[in-house]
Structure formats: structure tokens, C-alpha cells
Amino acid sequence: PPRHTKSEFASYLFPAWVMGQKPETKIIQATHTAELAVGFGRKVKNLLDSEIYRDVFPDIQLARDAKASGRWSTDMGGEYYAVGVGGALAGRGADLCIIDDPVSEQDALSPAALDNIYEWYTSGPRQRLQPGGQIVLVMTRWSKKDLTGMLLSKQKEAKADQWEVIEFPAILPSGKPLWPEYWSLEDLNGVKASIPGSKWNAQYM
């Protein structure tokens, strides 16, 4: 669901952990705007350059020319590249591609926007994977025709990618909030009521 720390884990702590484990990893980070993707890159880069990170992963260092927040590398050949949906990826390879909320709330109900995102995915990130590469797609579900919905529907086709799906509904089947310390049931129902046409339930989350 929105505002439940998806990006904190998927686009900040996770890529930093992966780099610590394998400093040679090439990461592509994508989200619905380049500005947001670069912001994630800045956070990850700053974490890698911190003392607390080096206490855990003492062998990894940023390359001396690693200055740009959305495009930097490690001294062991690892690379990080931030891009907005629709952005060019020619010449880029990825051991790990993280796609975080590829559609904004404003475009979630636009069939044309959803089609464009899927076309960009198939011609961009999916084609940039190195052998053995992996893709992590994390998003709030606003439509059955969003990128997650399209990829799951394609699983039925021969030789299609098969996805492991992890779902976290805002309101659990028990009727309790997923994150009760932060979101009360009353707050979640208030958010639901404020989004026209929203299908705020476990099926879409």
C-alpha cells in the first residue's frame, strides 16, 4: 500500500545491502520520474559513504569519480544507474533492476499511460538484464492493467517470465491494519474514501 515503507526497503536499504554483498553488482533503479530515481541514488550513495556502512561492509568503497547521485560506481566495478520510466537504457546492463512505483497516481487510470509503461519495460529493463540477472518490481496496485497485472497475465504464455509474488494488503483479511503502529483502520478507510474510484482492498494491494 502507499506510505508503508516499500521504497525504504526496496530502493534504499536493499540496493545498499546488495552492493555490500557483491560490490561488482550493476544496478538499474527505475521509478515513475527520473527525479525520484536520482533521489534514491543519492540516499544509497550517501549510505555507502557513511561510517556506519563501512562498519558492516569495510571492503566496499565508492569510486573516486563517483559524484553524480544518479550515476555512480564502486571501486570493484559495481554500477548504479537511476532512470525514470521512459528513459533511455541503451548501453546499460543490470544484474539487478529495481522498478519502484512505475506509475504515478495521476496516470494510474490512464490506459495509454499503462500501455506505455509496459512497452518501455519490455524494450528497456527486460532487455538490459545480464545472465542470471533479476528484477524486483514493487508498487501499489491501482489497476489490474498496471505493470504488475500485465506481467502476471503474460505468465500463461510459453517461455514467459515467472514471478514470485509477495502481497501486503493495507487491511489484512482479519480486518486489522497491516501496520497498526502507523496506520489505524480509521485512517486507512479515510484514505480509501478520498481516492475516487479506488479499489482499496487485498485484491489490488
Side-chain angles (χ1 to χ4, degrees):
R3 310 309 303 163
H4 275 69
T5 74
K6 297 188 307 299
S7 296
E8 185 76 4
F9 286 101
S11 296
Y12 172 43
L13 299 176
F14 179 55
W17 179 82
V18 169
M19 282 290 195
Q21 296 287 325
K22 297 182 178 180
E24 71 279 8
T25 302
K26 291 176 171 55
I27 297 176
I28 290 176
Q29 170 75 55
T31 187
H32 58 273
T33 66
E35 181 181 6
L36 183 57
V38 170
F40 289 143
R42 181 180 300 109
K43 289 185 66 176
V44 177
K45 178 173 174 284
N46 289 342
L47 181 56
L48 263 65
D49 203 30
S50 68
E51 291 186 10
I52 191 171
Y53 186 86
R54 285 193 291 272
D55 287 343
V56 180
F57 302 110
D59 297 331
I60 182 174
Q61 292 185 11
L62 293 171
R64 292 184 179 181
D65 60 351
K67 296 180 180 180
S69 296
R71 182 179 177 181
W72 47 266
S73 57
T74 70
D75 61 353
M76 296 185 184
E79 296 178 359
Y80 182 102
Y81 186 74
V83 65
V85 167
L89 289 172
R92 296 287 167 185
D95 300 301
L96 172 64
C97 180
I98 302 170
I99 304 174
D100 187 345
D101 274 335
V103 60
S104 66
E105 291 92 334
Q106 292 77 18
D107 289 335
L109 300 180
S110 167
L114 297 178
D115 286 344
N116 289 338
I117 292 168
Y118 179 72
E119 290 178 7
W120 171 79
Y121 168 84
T122 57
S123 62
R126 184 60 186 86
Q127 301 302 319
R128 309 318 304 172
L129 281 188
Q130 313 244 89
Q134 297 176 316
I135 295 175
V136 174
L137 170 60
V138 55
M139 63 183 298
T140 294
R141 300 296 310 281
W142 299 109
S143 167
K144 288 185 177 180
K145 296 181 180 180
D146 59 21
L147 182 56
T148 292
M150 292 293 290
L151 294 176
L152 292 180
S153 69
K154 295 292 182 180
Q155 288 189 131
K156 303 173 185 177
E157 300 179 1
K159 299 183 180 180
D161 292 333
Q162 300 298 306
W163 295 82
E164 179 180 356
V165 180
I166 301 173
E167 294 181 271
F168 293 99
I171 301 173
L172 298 169
S174 65
K176 296 181 180 180
L178 173 64
W179 189 7
E181 297 84 359
Y182 193 79
W183 287 101
S184 69
L185 191 59
E186 291 75 16
D187 288 334
L188 290 173
N189 284 323
V191 172
K192 174 183 176 181
S194 69
I195 303 175
S198 172
K199 297 178 175 62
W200 189 279
N201 55 42
Q203 180 181 2
Y204 287 84
M205 303 311 290

